[in-house]
Amino acid sequence: MRVIGTAGHVDHGKSTLIAALTGTHPDRLKEEREREMTIDLGFGWLTLPGGEEIGIVDVPGHRDFIENMLSGIGGIDAALLIVAADEGVMPQTREHLAILDLLQIEKGIVVLTKTDLIQDAGWLDLVESDVHASLKGTTLQYAPCVRVSARTRQGLDALLSTLDGILQETAPRPDLGRPRLPIDRVFSIAGYGTVVTGTLTDGRLKTGDEVQVLPSRKQGRIRGLQTHKQKEETAQPGSRTAVNISGLAVEEISRGEVVVTPNHYLATRRIDAFFRHLPDASAPLKHGTEVKLFTGTSEAITKLRLLGAESLNPGEKGWVQLELREPVVVVRGDRYILRRPSPSETLGGGIVLDPHPKSRHKRFDEMVLKRFESMLAGSPADLLIQASLALGPASIKDVVSRTQLDAEAASQALDELTAEKRLVFLAGSDLSSGSDSLVMAASAYESLSVKIEELLRQYHKQFPLRRGMPREELKSKLQVSPRLFNVMIKKLSSEGGILEGGTWVAMSGHEIRFDARQQAAVNKLMNQCASNPFSPPTLKEMQTAAGEEVVAALFDLGELAQVSPEVAFRKSDYDVMVGRIRAHIEQQGQISVAEARDLFNTSRKYILPLMEHLDAIGLTVRDGDFRRLKKARA
Ligand code: GDP
């Protein structure tokens, strides 16, 4: 599931456009969400022409407009930069654009709206070229521009299909097995209790999970999950998610905190980071300045320590150590923004390099600055992991070529990664296996195996009398390529975690177990068979007596053997019959139906299907009224 966000100058028509696209007005959501969890959670979403549902981040609030936008914009897959055709690019348009660039939002569309107000096509061309000039040098430099009117709905279809197009190019959010949900809203719903919403990243959340809210470290449990209007057992990374938490009151949680699973994250009050001072910032940035840090949905008053420079001029880049008054939760690689509190102004932003530096660095320590430089570039191993996560399961050749590392560096880093078990080869074993190989980051592999095990456990729970889940059903639930599916199943079964039959897959250790009532029916049925081993109840009668699922389980367990749609024997009786028929033919050269019938003192109703079955499995061949042993092939 993908999420988009809007940006643009106030009154340029963001809310109106979203309302036109979704049929829901964001201002109305507030009242609706008070009502019922299944009615509305304040999410806007729209359905693309291809059927995909796209979440829309919309964080209403009365704070500084930019800061409000900031608390929702992290974690989106694409941005709509909205520019009113009658006004063109305005100061906030530029500031929002700078923020999208600092946060490295790489996909976006310029939406020129309110075009119904403009009759002069030349004017629209002028506004559009002005917008393009502002985009130059930013992540959105090549963003397409779509002209619309939310009022007349002109251009909305084109906007949706353009959005569909750019989202196709974005890789799904990786599952790193360490979910975090920066909270953008907290509220309470009658009958449910505390609900928080946000964009989930880096992992999945499941109903029943123990969770922690950071930095407060308060504990709770997930009572329910919802994405858009759907109730879900599991929320996927990258989706707008509402979490109903039990054990925590609304007053105990605030926007800006993060919901995580325990033991994966630590809050911090000191951060090392790379920083870009915006070119149109109003003044040089000095060491020791007090600023406001924005990351995820949180904000904190922060002292800025400049490392390696006395001050940074607008447009300059550098290294900073941030000392926060309030703790936040960040990991290496997270993006952040710094603003001056008053008069408020976006100063710049960058990338977190170290969320837990051990100490206050000396300001001009060459060693520290060198280390920052290599951290910013990323080690070859980091680059490979990042590429693997971005590509999903792929060949080692594709992963390496995405990093643009040379062969030697790549090969060394690969050795390191395989030794540390951070990268998993599902096919092939090293660089030389080229495009035939299949590799996955360990975290992605781990979460796929967990998903497989979860689906199997669910299936066993639902169908305790079946030996396994049909392969095809598992494959379609996982939505992975046939090749990935086959190698995953092979690997997991070779490691002993799962069992693989011809058409089914099961958790190893799964056993078919009858409950007391079923066991009684089985005993009765087996006794019936024992008293007339060669004229047992018909299959239909067995099913009526013990139940279809139980009879199917007896086949799976090898207790019964089926010879036709109507006839089955206990497996032991079947073996006796086959043995005696074989012996008879070996002695006499052949056997007729009547002879076989007399051999077992039974009727044609049983013998005919049995003989046909023996022909079908290739033991015998028919010759007129007789059967002979099929000659073993030379
Ligand atoms: P926001 O502050 O960016 O969310 O802007 P709004 O969506 O609240 O719109 C601001 C004003 O512009 C409202 O009065 C809207 O009715 C008007 N508006 C929005 N979209 C259009 C449009 O496509 N055509 C016209 N004529 N007016 C629009």
Side-chain angles (χ1 to χ4, degrees):
M1 194 173 298
R2 324 295 175 110
V3 176
I4 60 167
T6 56
H9 196 75
V10 68
D11 276 345
H12 272 203
K14 291 181 293 300
S15 316
T16 313
L17 179 69
I18 294 306
L21 291 174
T22 61
T24 341
H25 198 285
D27 288 346
R28 233 180 46 213
L29 298 174
K30 189 174 171 318
E31 307 147 31
E32 289 187 2
R33 77 165 186 248
E34 314 287 347
R35 272 191 254 146
E36 210 186 319
M37 178 121 170
T38 48
I39 293 194
D40 218 306
L41 289 161
F43 292 168
W45 73 91
L46 55 84
T47 309
L48 291 177
E52 188 184 356
E53 267 189 11
I54 301 298
I56 300 171
V57 175
D58 163 63
V59 185
H62 303 287
R63 300 191 303 166
D64 173 304
F65 183 67
I66 301 254
E67 298 187 355
N68 205 42
M69 172 254 189
L70 263 172
S71 73
I73 209 82
I76 62 168
D77 294 293
L80 301 182
L81 182 67
I82 290 155
V83 181
D86 55 341
E87 286 197 333
V89 175
M90 297 290 279
Q92 266 178 8
T93 318
R94 289 187 205 284
E95 196 165 2
H96 277 195
L97 179 60
I99 288 170
L100 293 174
D101 185 47
L102 289 169
L103 296 175
Q104 293 286 294
I105 308 288
E106 286 179 352
K107 299 282 170 189
I109 301 175
V110 175
V111 186
L112 212 57
T113 187
K114 305 197 195 183
T115 52
D116 58 294
L117 298 177
I118 306 295
Q119 310 309 326
D120 178 2
W123 171 260
L124 290 179
D125 292 342
L126 210 66
V127 174
E128 195 172 320
S129 74
D130 195 24
V131 178
H132 275 299
S134 322
L135 297 180
K136 207 153 173 253
T138 71
T139 48
L140 296 185
Q141 138 153 269
Y142 301 111
C145 179
V146 182
R147 299 178 182 189
V148 307
S149 160
R151 186 152 292 171
T152 67
R153 303 191 64 84
Q154 195 176 354
L156 295 187
D157 288 342
L159 174 57
L160 286 180
S161 63
T162 308
L163 188 57
D164 206 353
I166 65 163
L167 287 174
Q168 294 301 328
E169 298 160 15
T170 62
R173 296 268 160 179
D175 181 345
L176 307 180
R178 39 160 219 226
R180 52 176 171 155
L181 180 118
I183 299 171
D184 51 36
R185 288 192 180 101
V186 191
F187 48 91
S188 155
I189 295 179
Y192 288 91
T194 306
V195 176
V196 303
T197 67
T199 308
L200 176 64
T201 56
D202 295 349
R204 303 182 299 148
L205 288 176
K206 287 197 312 296
T207 302
D209 277 353
E210 218 28 272
V211 287
Q212 209 175 32
V213 176
L214 293 180
S216 72
R217 305 177 75 154
K218 295 202 170 102
Q219 304 272 351
R221 188 178 289 277
I222 300 182
R223 198 174 153 201
L225 287 162
Q226 204 173 308
T227 300
H228 304 171
K229 272 189 184 172
Q230 296 294 312
K231 191 168 175 291
E232 289 189 319
E233 277 305 299
T234 308
Q236 305 295 335
S239 55
R240 290 292 298 160
T241 305
V243 190
N244 182 198
I245 302 183
S246 64
L248 284 176
V250 167
E251 304 74 50
E252 294 179 275
I253 310 177
S254 11
R255 156 155 142 181
E257 290 194 286
V258 186
V259 179
V260 299
T261 46
N263 306 324
H264 287 121
Y265 295 94
L266 271 182
T268 180
R269 292 172 72 158
R270 183 182 283 139
I271 298 170
D272 290 344
F274 167 73
F275 180 76
R276 265 165 64 199
H277 195 23
L278 284 181
D280 39 12
S282 59
L285 192 59
K286 292 203 183 66
H287 173 73
T289 310
E290 199 166 75
V291 294
K292 248 176 163 177
L293 164 78
F294 291 84
T295 184
T297 58
S298 58
E299 57 176 88
I301 301 284
T302 300
K303 197 169 130 197
L304 176 81
R305 304 190 63 231
L306 277 182
L307 305 181
E310 285 302 342
S311 77
L312 284 183
N313 288 321
E316 283 185 336
K317 298 169 185 169
W319 313 109
V320 296
Q321 190 163 50
L322 305 172
E323 291 185 331
L324 285 59
R325 209 180 279 171
E326 301 291 335
V328 299
V329 177
V330 285
V331 298
R332 180 168 172 198
D334 276 359
R335 310 276 161 176
Y336 69 93
I337 300 285
L338 295 184
R339 301 197 83 219
R340 191 176 54 209
S342 159
S344 56
E345 175 190 349
T346 302
L347 298 170
I351 306 174
V352 172
L353 296 178
D354 186 351
H356 302 285
K358 281 196 205 77
S359 59
R360 242 177 166 214
H361 300 304
K362 289 210 190 87
R363 288 188 54 214
F364 294 90
D365 183 336
E366 279 304 319
M367 293 282 284
V368 170
L369 302 179
K370 274 229 158 60
R371 193 161 55 83
F372 285 169
E373 241 158 70
S374 67
M375 282 171 101
L376 183 65
S379 70
D382 287 343
L383 292 176
L384 283 172
I385 288 289
Q386 279 160 19
S388 172
L389 284 170
L391 289 173
S395 76
I396 190 63
K397 186 164 166 261
D398 289 347
V399 174
V400 171
S401 83
R402 192 183 163 103
T403 61
Q404 297 184 322
L405 287 168
D406 63 56
E408 195 184 334
S411 156
Q412 250 178 29
L414 258 183
D415 289 347
E416 192 182 311
L417 288 173
T418 29
E420 290 170 0
K421 298 200 167 58
R422 288 169 66 199
L423 199 69
V424 180
F425 272 90
L426 289 165
S429 56
D430 55 28
L431 209 50
S432 66
S433 34
S435 40
D436 291 334
S437 57
L438 191 61
V439 292
M440 276 173 100
S443 53
Y445 168 78
E446 206 42 49
S447 67
L448 184 57
S449 1
V450 168
K451 207 161 153 189
I452 291 176
E453 289 179 8
E454 256 171 32
L455 286 169
L456 289 178
R457 278 186 222 287
Q458 265 172 28
Y459 190 89
H460 294 328
K461 209 167 147 198
Q462 196 178 353
F463 302 105
L465 295 185
R466 297 195 190 160
R467 77 189 140 178
M469 181 169 184
R471 284 179 79 99
E472 288 308 314
E473 190 177 336
L474 180 59
K475 185 159 75 190
S476 81
K477 285 229 159 98
L478 284 171
Q479 294 186 316
V480 296
S481 74
R483 177 164 183 238
L484 176 61
F485 178 78
N486 289 336
V487 287
M488 265 317 275
I489 296 299
K490 216 159 101 202
K491 185 163 169 66
L492 292 176
S493 81
S494 75
E495 287 167 359
I498 65 171
L499 269 181
E500 184 185 11
T503 55
W504 52 268
V505 185
M507 285 304 293
S508 59
H510 166 68
E511 277 176 25
I512 295 175
R513 282 220 181 90
F514 298 117
D515 63 25
R517 196 177 48 81
Q518 289 163 337
Q519 190 61 53
V522 169
N523 296 347
K524 193 166 161 206
L525 180 62
M526 287 306 182
N527 287 339
Q528 260 176 307
C529 291
S531 53
N532 273 312
F534 310 123
S535 316
T538 64
L539 194 51
K540 224 204 176 97
E541 287 163 347
M542 290 184 184
Q543 286 167 339
T544 315
E548 270 181 49
E549 284 281 322
V550 169
V551 172
L554 289 171
F555 285 123
D556 283 351
L557 288 166
E559 297 285 334
L560 289 177
Q562 183 168 6
V563 303
S564 81
E566 288 84 30
V567 176
F569 300 98
R570 283 192 311 181
K571 177 70 168 40
S572 51
D573 302 329
Y574 167 88
D575 289 342
V576 167
M577 294 174 100
V578 175
R580 283 200 209 159
I581 288 172
R582 180 197 282 273
H584 182 99
I585 307 180
E586 275 166 358
Q587 281 169 14
Q588 318 273 329
Q590 59 188 29
I591 195 167
S592 69
V593 169
E595 284 166 341
R597 185 193 59 201
D598 296 344
L599 206 54
F600 301 109
N601 193 21
T602 178
S603 67
R604 290 172 69 86
K605 180 172 108 178
Y606 293 100
I607 287 303
L608 262 185
L610 177 66
M611 301 305 273
E612 276 163 16
H613 163 78
L614 296 180
D615 292 342
I617 63 169
L619 182 75
T620 54
V621 279
R622 188 171 169 183
D623 181 4
D625 287 343
F626 292 95
R627 253 95 183 172
R628 300 179 209 292
L629 288 183
K630 187 169 180 175
K631 288 199 186 73
R633 265 181 231 136

